[in-house]
Amino acid sequence: QSVLTQPPSVSGAPGQRVTISCTGSSSNIGAGYDVHWYQQLPGTAPKLLIYGNINRPSGVPDRFSGSKSGTSASLAITGLQAEDEADYYCQSYDSSLSGWVFGGGTKLTVL
Amino acid sequence: EVQLVESGGGLVQPGRSLRLSCAASGFTFNDYAMHWVRQAPGKGLEWVSGISWNSDSIDYADSVKGRFTISRDNAKNSLYLQMNSLRGEDTALYYCAADEDTALTGVSWFDPWGQGTLVTVSS
């Protein structure tokens, strides 16, 4: 059971918009800790996708965007492309655990 | 090119030890805190341990506390994870990752990541 809760899977057709939620609690996201998102393509290492809730590293398309509100955060992907098919993870820090925490991951399928 | 390369994984019997290494290149290693993150086969990511730039601050996940020891050698641009009393549930791909901060503040993210080294604990 992950500290941050994500839906196990989401799907969408090419060109569509999907969102992935990440729900935490008052000891992590709700405590003000930033949320970061990673994309893990099949057979590869995770790659930073969004940092500091809303920021994109250089090279990440603006089709990817992040938001945060209260004890939750979301990753939105617009204009879905086949190459977006991957696992997505949210990450934050938990003050009760005194450690970094990840969501359980969401598998995105492009139909 | 910024790069992290892990090594040292392998098949080990329960109760035995293993030492993982992570070699950094392409960036100023001692400007960053570092972490180990693992991923069990077919499962999600789990943070294992972190160490500040000067080794003054170290944290562990409860699941490995007392069994694993993280360390670094800035002169060699290297990060290590000494794993003792290994259990079946420690079987995973172990990634090293750089923190965007020098200290373990909890506010930053992991970037870049290495390609991982596989640890299999089985008799």
Side-chain angles (χ1 to χ4, degrees), chain A residues 33-34 36 38 40 44-48 51-52 89 91-93 97-104, chain B residues 35 37 39 43-47 59-60 62 95 99 104-111 113-115:
Chain A
Y33 291 103
D34 285 344
H36 319 293
Y38 302 88
Q40 187 175 34
T44 70
K47 168 195 161 188
L48 180 67
Y51 66 94
Y89 294 90
Q91 175 247 312
S92 187
Y93 182 84
L97 298 173
S98 296
W100 288 256
V101 290
F102 288 92
Chain B
H35 298 266
V37 177
Q39 185 170 33
K43 302 297 184 182
L45 302 171
E46 178 190 16
W47 172 78
D59 286 324
Y60 298 98
D62 287 344
Y95 295 102
D99 192 304
L104 297 182
T105 61
V107 302
S108 57
W109 51 95
F110 302 149
D111 182 54
W113 298 59
Q115 85 291 345

Side-chain angles (χ1 to χ4, degrees), chain A residues 34-73:
Chain A
D34 285 344
V35 177
H36 319 293
W37 292 89
Y38 302 88
Q39 178 192 58
Q40 187 175 34
L41 296 169
T44 70
K47 168 195 161 188
L48 180 67
L49 196 64
I50 297 287
Y51 66 94
N53 306 313
I54 61 171
N55 303 292
R56 283 187 312 276
S58 170
V60 173
D62 59 6
R63 301 185 297 103
F64 295 89
S65 64
S67 64
K68 175 190 167 184
S69 178
T71 58
S72 296

Side-chain angles (χ1 to χ4, degrees), chain B:
Chain B
E1 179 192 5
V2 174
Q3 198 171 17
L4 294 170
V5 179
E6 301 93 337
S7 61
L11 174 62
V12 61
Q13 293 179 328
R16 303 298 290 264
S17 299
L18 206 59
R19 190 194 194 209
L20 305 183
S21 299
C22 170
S25 61
F27 65 103
T28 306
F29 181 69
N30 57 12
D31 276 352
Y32 299 93
M34 295 293 297
H35 298 266
W36 288 98
V37 177
R38 68 185 180 184
Q39 185 170 33
K43 302 297 184 182
L45 302 171
E46 178 190 16
W47 172 78
V48 173
S49 180
I51 185 169
S52 63
W53 73 279
N54 60 358
S55 305
D56 275 1
S57 181
I58 288 175
D59 286 324
Y60 298 98
D62 287 344
S63 58
V64 306
K65 202 170 291 183
R67 300 187 300 122
F68 289 12
T69 302
I70 191 173
S71 62
R72 64 189 295 162
D73 184 336
N74 288 341
K76 295 183 177 179
N77 289 339
S78 292
L79 175 72
Y80 306 101
L81 186 67
Q82 177 67 42
M83 304 185 296
N84 299 332
S85 303
L86 282 162
R87 306 166 180 168
E89 54 264 37
D90 296 319
T91 294
L93 189 59
Y94 284 73
Y95 295 102
C96 67
D99 192 304
E100 285 303 298
D101 206 342
T102 54
L104 297 182
T105 61
V107 302
S108 57
W109 51 95
F110 302 149
D111 182 54
W113 298 59
Q115 85 291 345
T117 186
L118 182 62
V119 173
T120 304
V121 183
S122 175
S123 54

